[in-house]
């Protein structure tokens, strides 16, 4: 590797000092090659490139690798230039940049599209797992009769419990299939195996041969950030979802109080000061109640068309001060197809939304970058109920009361709905429910309950709702907690949960304190 790097440098007309050479040696070959190309393109006059020289093109370096899957060594190296990165944050404020959105097929979907969908998911998550420096990594085809120790990266296509209460996984990779047994006496690995879902893509360290493999350890791809991001701007982001506009149970008066607060017309002086610093409002789906979503819904509708229902929502959003950027995605109740990913809400069904100049409509899911480089993954959360059904520990201990725990399961898997049949989905060229870009914030809706948490330096926000409990929610076991708004300061990372549930009184502060993140 060293001689290859040196030869490549000679060709490009420069040399590396010992320290830089040491770093490059630890990177993947494609990473080292890209760095040499960046040095060449940067036109630095030095013949011998030292770490000091890097400061002259560190912005290019950071920009080039941003959002890509990187080796831990390169991540560590790039963090040295973080200060420069922060300095180079654009001074413009109120940025809204769509970083990732699904690429929808514009033609009839065939079986081949489903194959491509799963293959793309496997490839992305396999690469993420490979970065974890797993020992004796091998493909299933290469495991022969002789016994050995291997790590395999596989998709789980069957899971069953044997009479002696061990777990058996049938797994596959692109080269073949295998049977993996998890012994119930191996407590650590058995605990992890209990919550493995069908179609999960995991790495397993195993012992055995091609007849049967015994699991020693299970690894998930894990979304992880090296550090928590902070912005230089003292600005707040507010998160709401599930207006269910047009329903008889829509809490319009409470939502109007929130809007009044945003506009500086409500609250004590401190609360008004905070409101003045709100720069973004994320609106995470189920904007209207929709039509025919559950039996007998019609008698709970004030507005019975999507135009009428979006009209209710637009009328309120139009009152919000124009310097607040609003970003809205759909949920299952919106007028788009139910299968995920969902496209943006179209003008055909919601013309009134298109009249709001500070509203950005995005698909579900989407990754949006805002001030300070914060990447916000918006996902309405149709799969949350199914995760609760499938993960025994969450179902039994918490039921529907802890949405953030489910979001941690998403981040662990780097997938928003791994199980085929978990919910309706639309195969795309890339599986857009894979968490490919690691976000600084993931925000969900759907459960109508607010919860804030963190996982591997990623902020999790599960947002509340603006609808009182419906008969349907009672039936499915949802426990809503309406009219709460988490607001997050991009500079201090302070979070406050404001409570607008009182129609006339003061704005409450959930638990009377600030939640740290
Ligand atoms: Fe909802
Ligand atoms: Fe929903």
């Amino acid at each position: 590797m060293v001689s290859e790097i040196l030869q490549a440098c000679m060709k490009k007309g420069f040399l590396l000092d010992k320290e830089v050479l040491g770093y490059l040696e630890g990177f993947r070959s494609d990473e080292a090659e890209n760095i040499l190309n960046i040095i060449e393109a940067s036109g630095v006059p030095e013949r011998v490139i030292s770490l000091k020289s890097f400061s002259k093109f560190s912005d290019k370096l950071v920009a080039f690798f941003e959002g890509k899957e990187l080796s831990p060594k390169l991540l560590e190296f790039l963090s040295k230039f973080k200060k420069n990165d922060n300095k180079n944050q654009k001074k413009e404020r109120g940025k809204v940049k769509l970083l990732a959105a699904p690429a929808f097929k514009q033609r009839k979907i065939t079986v081949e599209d489903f194959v491509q969908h799963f293959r793309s998911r496997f490839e992305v998550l396999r690469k993420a797992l490979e970065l974890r420096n797993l020992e004796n990594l091998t493909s299933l085809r290469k495991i022969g009769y002789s016994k050995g120790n291997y790590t395999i990266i596989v998709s789980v296509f069957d899971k069953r419990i044997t009479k002696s209460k061990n777990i058996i996984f049938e797994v596959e990779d692109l080269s073949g299939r295998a049977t993996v047994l998890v012994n119930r006496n191996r407590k650590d690995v058995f605990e992890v195996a209990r919550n493995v879902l069908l179609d999960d893509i995991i790495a397993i360290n195993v012992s055995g041969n091609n007849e049967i493999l015994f699991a020693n350890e299970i690894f998930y791809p894990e979304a992880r950030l090296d550090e928590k991001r902070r912005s230089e701007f003292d600005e707040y982001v507010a998160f709401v979802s599930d207006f269910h506009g047009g329903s008889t149970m829509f809490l319009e008066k409470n939502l109007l109080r929130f809007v009044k607060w945003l506009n500086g017309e409500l609250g004590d002086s401190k609360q008004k000061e905070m409101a003045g610093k709100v720069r973004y409002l994320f609106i995470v789906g189920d904007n209207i109640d929709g039509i025919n979503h559950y039996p007998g819904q019609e008698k709970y509708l004030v507005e019975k068309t999507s135009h009428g229902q979006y009209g209710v929502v637009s009328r309120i959003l139009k009152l919000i001060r124009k310097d607040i950027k609003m970003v809205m995605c759909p949920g299952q109740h919106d007028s788009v197809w139910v299968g995920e990913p969902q496209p943006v809400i179209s003008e055909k069904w919601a013309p009134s939304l298109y009249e709001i100049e500070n509203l950005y409509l995005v698909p579900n899911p989407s990754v949006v970058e805002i001030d300070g480089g914060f990447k916000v993954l918006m996902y309405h959360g149709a799969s949350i109920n199914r995760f609760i059904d499938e993960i025994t520990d969450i179902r039994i201990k918490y039921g529907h009361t802890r949405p953030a725990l489910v979001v941690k399961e998403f981040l662990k898997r780097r997938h928003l709905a791994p199980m085929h049949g978990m919910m309706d989905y639309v195969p795309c060229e890339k599986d857009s429910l894979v968490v490919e870009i690691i976000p600084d914030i993931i925000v969900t809706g759907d459960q109508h309950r607010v919860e804030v948490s963190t996982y591997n330096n990623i902020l999790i926000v599960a947002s509340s709702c603006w609808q009182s409990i419906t008969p349907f929610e009672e039936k499915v076991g949802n426990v809503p907690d309406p009219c709460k708004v988490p607001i997050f300061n991009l500079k201090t990372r302070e979070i406050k949960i404001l409570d607008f549930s009182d129609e006339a009184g003061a704005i409450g502060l959930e638990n009377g304190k600030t939640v740290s993140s």
Side-chain angles (χ1 to χ4, degrees), residues 241-244 285-286 332-333 380 445-448 465 467 473:
S241 72
D242 297 85
F243 296 149
H244 290 267
D286 279 2
Q332 313 96 313
H333 284 254
H380 175 67
D446 193 63
Q447 291 295 296
H448 295 200
C465 67
Q467 185 188 38
E473 280 180 313

Side-chain angles (χ1 to χ4, degrees), residues 337-488:
W337 64 56
V338 166
E340 290 180 349
Q342 297 179 297
V344 292
I345 302 161
S346 84
E347 192 169 7
K348 184 179 174 189
W349 304 111
S352 54
L353 290 181
Y354 284 75
E355 293 162 6
I356 308 172
E357 71 238 45
N358 52 335
L359 177 68
Y360 297 74
L361 294 166
V362 297
N364 171 42
S366 286
V367 182
V368 176
E369 188 179 314
I370 57 169
D371 285 353
F374 274 84
K375 296 177 186 73
V376 183
L377 168 55
M378 296 176 84
Y379 174 56
H380 175 67
S383 67
I384 296 177
N385 278 339
R386 285 300 310 276
F387 262 92
I388 296 169
D389 291 344
E390 295 295 332
I391 298 184
T392 322
D393 290 352
I394 296 182
R395 190 182 66 243
I396 292 175
K397 281 191 206 154
Y398 308 104
H400 291 258
T401 63
R402 300 288 308 276
L405 287 182
V406 178
V407 177
K408 287 180 186 177
E409 298 293 328
F410 295 164
L411 294 172
K412 189 165 89 177
R413 290 171 171 78
R414 291 186 62 170
H415 202 284
L416 302 171
M419 274 175 71
H420 173 74
M422 190 169 229
M423 25 160 282
D424 296 324
Y425 68 94
V426 182
C428 298
E429 245 150 68
K430 284 181 88 175
D431 178 357
S432 49
L433 297 181
V434 171
V435 180
E436 196 166 357
I437 294 176
I438 301 190
D440 299 288
I441 304 171
I442 175 169
V443 55
T444 59
D446 193 63
Q447 291 295 296
H448 295 200
R449 272 190 83 74
V450 75
E451 190 179 9
V452 173
S453 189
T454 51
Y455 184 75
N456 293 340
N457 292 331
I458 300 164
L459 174 69
I460 297 171
V461 179
S463 41
S464 169
C465 67
W466 302 85
Q467 185 188 38
S468 50
I469 189 160
T470 66
F472 177 71
E473 280 180 313
E474 254 175 308
K475 208 172 127 198
V476 299
N478 282 8
V479 196
D481 183 18
C483 310
K484 307 278 169 65
V485 182
I487 60 165
F488 173 68

Side-chain angles (χ1 to χ4, degrees), residues 90-127:
K90 285 186 181 157
K91 297 285 178 198
E92 61 177 285
R93 298 174 80 163
K95 172 173 72 170
V96 176
K97 188 173 159 194
L98 187 59
L99 291 185
F104 297 101
K105 287 262 175 230
Q106 297 300 321
R107 55 174 173 78
K108 199 177 161 195
I109 289 164
T110 64
V111 173
E112 187 49 41
D113 291 316
F114 284 91
V115 174
Q116 172 58 29
H117 177 91
F118 276 94
R119 187 162 287 178
S120 84
R121 178 197 301 186
F122 188 79
E123 291 294 353
V124 174
L125 295 181
R126 182 179 66 178
K127 278 185 193 144

